[in-house]
Amino acid sequence: MTLIATSGDRGIATLTLDSPANRNALSAALVGELRDALADCAADDTVRAVVLNHTGSTFCAGADLTAPPDPEAFVGLMREIVALPKPVVARVTGHVRAGGLGLLAACDIAVAGEASSFALTESRLGLAPAVISLTLLPRVDRTAANRYYLTGERFDAAEAARIGLVTVAAEDVEKGLAPVLDGLRRASPQGLAASKELVTATVLRSFDQYAEDLIARSAALFASDEAREGMTAFLERRDPAWVR
């Protein structure tokens, strides 16, 4: 079963997360297919930019707790989006949770609709937004990061735009995307690659400096007793033992 659907239109390749059974969660299979699809886009001279789309009411539910990807593979996916010499634009019309925010923040531009919502739910599972900090912290307002990292509260597209997580909060996502895609089509491939390299240089250095430590930190948290309780409670649809 293919988890990434691909299409193209006038130099724009659309990669659609198409795993509705688990709300487009980051399974090992989905991460692998998305990495392959991005590599194909990088090698295709007819592709000017990439749109990351989704099926269903959820853009990405975060890690698939029943079939999670290797942390290094997920970090590799985020880095490949950042380093891709072609802009990646997220089209979000649904919910984004936990690791899905790291995927979203790796994109260069994000347009979110009114039906979208966002939450960093890791702290409620006994975890932390460890590896996704590589893309989130350079992008999100620090005061907002302090709040949403700690509380796990849900917020809407307008708030996501205010704190820098998304570029545009739009009533009509297609209208919000139109000027962005028109601008990308008018830019030269060399101009796009060189311009993206400038704005992503600091983020890529952060990957090189901190990724290994954050992967280790994430693995230690996942192996902890509290995380086991948190993930079990989530799958059983009950409150974990520490809720008061």
Side-chain angles (χ1 to χ4, degrees):
M1 179 179 176
T2 300
L3 303 178
I4 304 295
T6 61
S7 61
D9 177 41
R10 297 174 50 218
I12 306 296
T14 298
L15 306 181
T16 301
L17 307 180
D18 190 17
S19 183
N22 66 354
R23 300 187 300 146
N24 296 319
L26 295 161
S27 64
L30 185 142
V31 167
E33 286 191 29
L34 184 52
R35 294 183 75 176
D36 289 344
L38 287 165
D40 290 342
C41 290
D44 188 343
D45 291 338
T46 68
V47 173
R48 184 66 53 83
V50 176
V51 170
L52 187 59
N53 192 23
H54 65 98
T55 58
S57 62
T58 300
F59 175 81
C60 180
D64 184 340
L65 299 181
T66 62
D70 181 272
E72 291 186 6
F74 179 50
V75 169
L77 169 62
M78 292 191 295
R79 194 185 195 287
E80 284 158 16
I81 293 173
V82 176
L84 196 78
K86 302 173 184 185
V88 180
V89 180
R91 178 188 181 277
V92 183
T93 58
H95 309 301
V96 192
R97 297 291 183 268
L101 273 76
L103 181 65
L104 174 64
C107 298
D108 303 288
I109 298 170
V111 179
E114 290 185 322
S116 59
S117 70
F118 309 81
L120 289 159
T121 53
E122 288 89 344
S123 66
R124 299 185 179 192
L125 299 177
L127 302 168
V131 296
I132 63 174
S133 290
L134 292 163
T135 58
L136 278 171
L137 291 183
R139 184 166 188 143
V140 172
D141 171 81
R142 186 54 61 94
T143 301
N146 288 347
R147 176 177 180 173
Y148 295 121
Y149 266 47
L150 297 175
T151 67
E153 293 171 89
R154 186 173 67 180
F155 53 96
D156 63 13
E159 175 71 352
R162 186 192 72 80
I163 68 177
L165 176 63
V166 305
T167 315
V168 178
E171 290 185 16
D172 185 315
V173 172
E174 299 311 319
K175 287 183 179 179
L177 277 172
V180 172
L181 300 184
D182 179 65
L184 296 176
R185 288 185 172 113
R186 291 176 181 275
S188 81
Q190 175 177 281
L192 287 174
S195 297
K196 177 167 178 174
E197 187 176 13
L198 290 172
V199 296
T200 59
T202 301
V203 180
L204 290 173
R205 285 196 295 270
S206 178
F207 270 84
D208 295 338
Q209 186 172 359
Y210 299 115
E212 186 175 343
D213 173 67
L214 289 171
I215 288 171
R217 190 179 307 187
S218 178
L221 286 168
F222 267 93
S224 69
D225 291 340
E226 278 196 15
R228 279 193 289 274
E229 164 61 12
M231 289 184 284
T232 300
F234 174 79
L235 294 171
E236 294 178 350
R237 298 179 180 273
R238 62 171 174 81
D239 285 337
W242 57 76
V243 172
R244 295 290 183 266

